[in-house]
Amino acid sequence: RAEIEAVADELRQSLVLLRGIFDAETAQTRLEELNARAEDPGLWKDQDAAQQVMRERNRLQTAITGYETLVRSGSRSQSQNR
């Protein structure tokens, strides 16, 4: 039990630091912009630009998903320790 609580504390501390570095709201807004660009048929006329948009989109989606997973895990651990 003590070990689990120590891990939960580390996770909470990591989330606090991550929130300071990773602005989830800005990332989500940028992802929405990239999704809109990806839907523009004109983008696909320039394959290099399309690849750049899709790479950034995929990178942001991965980062957002990872962040949300950490937040959910931290929330679950915090509620279990109460």
Side-chain angles (χ1 to χ4, degrees), residues 9-58:
D9 284 340
E10 286 180 32
L11 180 58
R12 279 191 289 277
Q13 290 172 4
S14 295
L15 282 173
V16 168
L17 291 173
L18 187 57
R19 283 183 183 123
I21 296 169
F22 182 75
D23 182 353
E25 189 174 314
T26 300
Q28 187 62 45
T29 299
R30 179 65 179 151
L31 180 61
E32 291 167 8
E33 292 170 1
L34 293 169
N35 285 336
R37 284 190 65 196
E39 292 175 9
D40 178 6
L43 173 69
W44 300 97
K45 293 176 185 173
D46 181 348
Q47 288 298 309
D48 290 335
Q51 285 179 355
Q52 184 176 355
V53 166
M54 295 308 291
R55 272 196 294 274
E56 183 178 356
R57 185 200 161 283
N58 291 338

